[in-house]
Amino acid sequence: MSELHELSALTLRDALARGAVSAREVTEHFLRRIDALNPDLGSFVTVTHEDARRAADHADRLRASGAALGPLHGVPLAHKDLTDVVGVRTTLGTAALDHAVAQQDAPLAAVLRRAGAISLGKTQVPEFGLSCYSENRIAPPARNPLDRRLSPAGSSGGSAAAVAARLIPFAPGTDGGGSIRIPAAATGLVGLKPNRGRVPSGSGQADLGQFVVAGPLAHSAVDAGLLLDALVREPNYRPTSAASRYPGSFTDAALRAEGRFRIGVSTASPFSGAMDIGLDSAASDAFSAGIRVLQRAGHDVVDADLRYDSRYHDAFQLVWTAGLATAPIPDEREDRLTEITRVLRRRALGRTAAQLAGAVDVLRQFEQDTIEQYSHYDMVLTPAVAMTPRPIGWYTDADGDTDYLRQCQYSPYTSMVNVCGLPAVTVPTLRLPDGLSMSVQLIGRPGEEAQLLAVTAQIEALRQDGSEFPSPAPGGTME
């Protein structure tokens, strides 16, 4: 039998459900891996050994009693340190606030606890979840398991690192500008941002623009579907999500891997008018590999002439950072903030209500115009990120504005999807000679997560036969 951490989340879930392995045995196995590997990875900020063991023992008693089991019975996972978990401190990645112990679960943690999942702790995030890297002033930075000199990105970087290193089988992330998809791309995982409002759970972040939604980080489309099914199994009282047209479960959609679609291809970015945006050779090669594999899978892949509002850059930053103006940070602790948070908070405090309302108007018009353009296709393919994973400290070795600029240049294709509320997934398409992974992004129509998972599974099937995934030659071009 394979080691427990080598099993897919679905296989592990099934083994737990039939009693082939106990929840306590699984929990202890993954806790030992965390204790052994996390000191070099920085993926966990807090490991909840005793809480996890108590939950595992309860899960085993529940199974022995013959009671109905949840869909994730006994499966371990972890939460970003933006999400309240009862009895565990929440740091929000900041040294500027006291770290209170949560008195109850946040909605995201609660729905997964009721599904039977066992939380092993809290994972590393950037301060307040603002950035696409996972470094802060309260704990060591999260590191990329593919190369520990590099960042696993963010803001779900600690969770992505933990999944990629198989410290946990999968994990929920939250995504307000790419915070699931960017770290998935950096660490070779599948990262799915569901449709706006799909998951009835909070994010722990102020969200004026309705950007944030929770979703899965996983090793495969099937495992991502399994976690998404658990996230959406309870009634959703938010009216903003388009209903899924797929009649079965998201897991089923990934297992069936059916469908042939018209896919528009574009490297256009709404940031291009405000800064220099370009793909490095690895990102370009991964994008080309994605086009080829989709064509081989039988999809109609066509060039898409997409155009974006040049006002997007300023409007997004204004709305994305508006919550910093109301953050309860004492004046005497301002100096404990990271440089980028100080810069963006100062800017947010100086905005007027009219400026904020104007920015929201720009983004709502952007949403309408972009979805109209995308409607000519079943999906839109873009690069996932524009560069290989960045070194630890690359963002923070200059002033806050340079930090933000570098983030936009690294990930210029993700935040627009949050503004539009659409579902999107990042999928690995290329393995580099040094072991790093590069990905593409597929953006779906409203409510079409099942289609995205099906196509992701098709890509995975071709990746396994190896015929469409050569590594680039040493010079960076395809052989």
Side-chain angles (χ1 to χ4, degrees):
M1 181 177 177
S2 300
E3 289 271 9
L4 290 173
H5 62 272
E6 295 172 345
L7 301 177
S8 71
L10 181 64
T11 300
L12 183 62
R13 190 282 305 269
D14 290 347
L16 283 157
R18 68 174 183 270
V21 65
S22 71
R24 179 64 182 251
E25 182 181 354
V26 169
T27 296
E28 292 288 2
H29 177 87
F30 281 97
L31 286 174
R32 285 194 297 271
R33 281 190 64 79
I34 293 168
D35 289 343
L37 300 178
N38 190 64
D40 289 333
L41 279 175
S43 53
F44 278 81
V45 175
T46 302
V47 184
T48 53
H49 297 83
E50 294 311 312
D51 287 350
R53 290 175 178 128
R54 282 193 293 270
D57 290 342
H58 173 73
D60 287 333
R61 289 193 298 270
L62 193 66
R63 187 187 180 281
S65 73
L69 303 179
L72 298 183
H73 175 79
V75 181
L77 46 72
H79 291 283
K80 291 171 67 171
D81 206 6
L82 304 175
T83 301
D84 281 348
V85 175
V86 65
V88 184
R89 67 171 185 157
T90 301
T91 73
L92 302 177
T94 185
L97 298 175
D98 293 332
H99 300 157
V101 173
Q103 299 303 303
Q104 62 182 11
D105 284 335
L108 175 58
V111 73
L112 290 173
R113 190 189 299 275
R114 289 192 291 269
I118 295 173
S119 176
L120 303 188
K122 306 290 284 295
T123 59
Q124 179 64 303
V125 295
E127 189 166 54
F128 300 124
L130 280 174
S131 304
C132 69
Y133 54 87
S134 296
E135 303 164 38
N136 58 38
R137 291 185 169 181
I138 66 164
R143 296 181 177 274
N144 196 323
L146 302 179
D147 184 336
R148 285 166 173 75
R149 296 169 299 179
L150 305 179
S151 172
S155 64
S156 304
S159 294
V163 176
R166 297 189 181 273
L167 305 187
I168 44 178
F170 54 21
T174 54
D175 190 317
S179 290
I180 290 171
R181 290 159 289 150
I182 301 168
T187 58
L189 301 175
V190 172
L192 175 64
K193 173 210 168 296
N195 205 89
R196 177 179 291 147
R198 170 73 69 222
V199 178
S201 55
S203 68
Q205 295 166 267
D207 190 19
L208 174 68
Q210 298 184 39
F211 300 150
V212 183
V213 63
L217 286 154
H219 287 280
S220 69
V222 171
D223 284 354
L226 177 65
L227 184 51
L228 184 57
D229 281 329
L231 288 169
V232 302
R233 67 190 291 258
E234 298 184 2
N236 188 349
Y237 301 107
R238 297 176 65 184
T240 55
S241 187
S244 175
R245 295 188 298 174
Y246 187 74
S249 68
F250 293 115
T251 309
D252 178 68
L255 288 168
R256 290 180 178 274
E258 295 174 341
R260 297 296 179 267
F261 303 102
R262 176 177 168 83
I263 300 176
V265 173
S266 175
T267 59
S269 164
F271 289 101
S272 296
M275 62 191 69
D276 181 25
I277 298 294
L279 299 181
D280 70 12
S281 60
S284 180
D285 288 344
F287 187 59
S288 297
I291 292 172
R292 288 196 302 274
V293 73
L294 290 170
Q295 290 172 329
R296 184 166 180 244
H299 300 287
D300 180 19
V301 182
V302 298
D303 287 334
D305 183 19
L306 302 179
R307 301 178 186 278
Y308 298 112
D309 190 329
S310 62
R311 299 173 296 171
Y312 175 87
H313 167 62
D314 288 335
F316 177 76
Q317 185 188 113
L318 200 160
V319 177
W320 171 239
T321 60
L324 290 174
T326 58
I329 300 168
D331 292 342
E332 66 273 14
R333 293 192 176 187
E334 289 271 351
D335 61 348
R336 301 186 189 182
L337 294 171
T338 59
E339 173 65 18
I340 188 170
T341 305
R342 280 201 302 273
V343 167
L344 295 177
R345 175 173 162 81
R346 190 179 311 121
R347 194 163 294 151
L349 286 167
R351 303 293 190 187
T352 66
Q355 288 174 314
L356 187 56
V360 171
D361 284 347
V362 168
L363 295 185
R364 293 289 73 85
Q365 186 64 52
F366 178 93
E367 175 185 345
Q368 178 178 326
D369 294 344
T370 301
I371 292 177
E372 181 179 357
Q373 293 184 80
Y374 288 3
S375 69
H376 298 292
Y377 316 96
D378 296 308
M379 299 176 188
V380 170
L381 178 75
T382 75
V385 292
M387 309 175 191
T388 54
R390 301 290 84 196
I392 298 292
W394 182 74
Y395 298 98
T396 58
D397 69 358
D399 60 80
D401 283 322
T402 302
D403 181 332
Y404 185 80
L405 172 66
R406 290 174 177 175
Q407 292 185 59
C408 296
Q409 291 173 323
Y410 176 64
S411 56
Y413 300 102
T414 53
S415 65
M416 63 189 183
V417 186
N418 299 81
V419 169
C420 295
L422 295 171
V425 64
T426 48
V427 191
T429 56
L430 188 67
R431 180 72 70 172
L432 301 177
D434 58 6
L436 294 179
S437 179
M438 297 297 292
S439 297
V440 294
Q441 174 178 242
L442 282 165
I443 305 167
R445 288 186 168 186
E448 294 291 3
E449 294 94 341
Q451 289 184 355
L452 293 175
L453 288 168
V455 175
T456 298
Q458 293 170 9
I459 294 173
E460 290 169 350
L462 290 170
R463 185 175 65 206
Q464 288 167 9
D465 75 23
S467 60
E468 285 295 326
F469 288 83
S471 293
T477 59
M478 298 299 295
E479 295 176 324

